[in-house]
Amino acid sequence: MLKKLNYPLIILICDGNEPVKQAVLDVYPNAIIQTCLKHYIKNIRTDLNIASSDKYIDFYNFVYDAFFFKKCSKQHLAHEIARKYEDFKDDEKQYDWMTSIMQNLEFLTNYHRVPNAPCTTNLIEGYNGHLKDRTKSIRGFKSFYSAYYWLNAYILKRRFRVFTACSKKFCKLNGYASIHLTAKNIEDLPNLFRILPTKK
């Protein structure tokens, strides 16, 4: 569908699902793939049982720091792993994760190649979470078409609704609708959708 719409996909942030990556590259062979760092670090956390044991806490903190505080580039991340190799190499699980990081350096750091690209899927998952909560009160649709029209109306509402509760680094979005930030010229929109508040 994106290809048919001539959507200029540059980068895709996704979890470690290999079929998804391959499907994207089949359609957009020049697309940049970025592994969601939140998913990746969650897999490490689960595998090392960080919630119940502090056995691997030093290793986990080292990786977390490299991903989210230092925001290491490909070369920097490789350097960090090499620097700490002697400290962690004697444990099989730590060794396996260091090997995984080295094998996936490109996918873990590709977001540096695109200005302002995210390194996680947090934003889209927040959007999906809102949709999931919204549909809990709906006990099904009468038909495929009623679901189709409801979802279209939902997307339109989300696209044209002004942000009012953004905080921290996103507070600058308050007073804008997402269509303000993505459309080249909202004056080209049909009159039906031109009931937008004026941007601040």
Side-chain angles (χ1 to χ4, degrees):
M1 180 62 73
L2 291 178
K3 191 69 173 180
K4 290 181 178 180
L5 293 172
N6 293 317
Y7 185 81
L9 182 67
I10 298 174
I11 184 170
L12 175 78
I13 293 83
C14 62
D15 61 18
N17 191 313
E18 291 302 322
V20 170
K21 294 179 182 179
Q22 191 54 57
V24 170
L25 293 176
D26 285 345
V27 180
Y28 290 95
N30 297 319
I32 298 170
I33 306 295
Q34 167 67 40
T35 296
C36 173
L37 296 186
K38 284 287 187 181
H39 280 91
Y40 195 82
I41 201 74
K42 181 180 179 182
N43 290 339
I44 295 177
R45 183 180 179 85
T46 300
D47 184 54
L48 301 183
N49 197 27
I50 296 298
S52 303
S53 170
D54 61 0
K55 178 180 179 180
Y56 295 108
I57 193 65
D58 288 341
F59 176 75
Y60 175 79
N61 287 339
F62 157 69
V63 176
Y64 192 95
D65 181 68
F67 284 167
F68 296 112
F69 290 104
K70 294 181 179 178
K71 296 185 177 180
C72 293
S73 64
K74 181 178 180 180
Q75 294 77 12
H76 189 190
L77 185 57
H79 172 75
E80 287 290 290
I81 295 296
R83 182 176 66 84
K84 300 291 285 186
Y85 177 77
E86 290 297 325
D87 295 340
F88 300 125
K89 69 180 178 64
D90 293 330
D91 183 274
E92 183 178 359
K93 284 196 172 185
Q94 292 176 161
Y95 177 83
D96 287 346
W97 277 111
M98 286 193 295
T99 301
S100 172
I101 291 170
M102 292 299 289
Q103 290 174 339
N104 292 280
L105 278 176
E106 186 173 350
F107 290 136
L108 294 171
T109 59
N110 265 338
Y111 71 100
H112 288 290
R113 297 172 56 188
V114 180
N116 300 315
C119 61
T120 75
T121 57
N122 282 8
L123 288 175
I124 189 63
E125 287 191 359
Y127 194 96
N128 290 342
H130 184 277
L131 175 59
K132 183 178 179 180
D133 290 340
R134 181 66 183 83
T135 54
K136 279 182 179 178
S137 60
I138 301 175
R139 301 189 178 186
F141 296 94
K142 290 183 178 180
S143 67
F144 172 84
Y145 290 103
S146 64
Y148 174 85
Y149 288 122
W150 186 92
L151 285 168
N152 270 276
Y154 172 84
I155 296 298
L156 285 172
K157 179 181 178 181
R158 298 297 299 174
R159 292 280 283 149
F160 287 86
R161 188 173 184 176
V162 170
F163 298 116
T164 59
C166 298
S167 60
K168 297 181 179 179
K169 66 179 180 180
F170 299 111
C171 64
K172 62 184 178 181
L173 298 179
N174 289 323
Y176 292 85
S178 65
I179 193 70
H180 281 136
L181 307 171
T182 55
K184 291 183 178 179
N185 184 2
I186 63 172
E187 295 303 320
D188 291 337
L189 295 172
N191 288 332
L192 174 65
F193 302 123
R194 212 178 291 165
I195 51 175
L196 291 169
T198 302
K199 289 190 292 184
K200 291 182 179 179

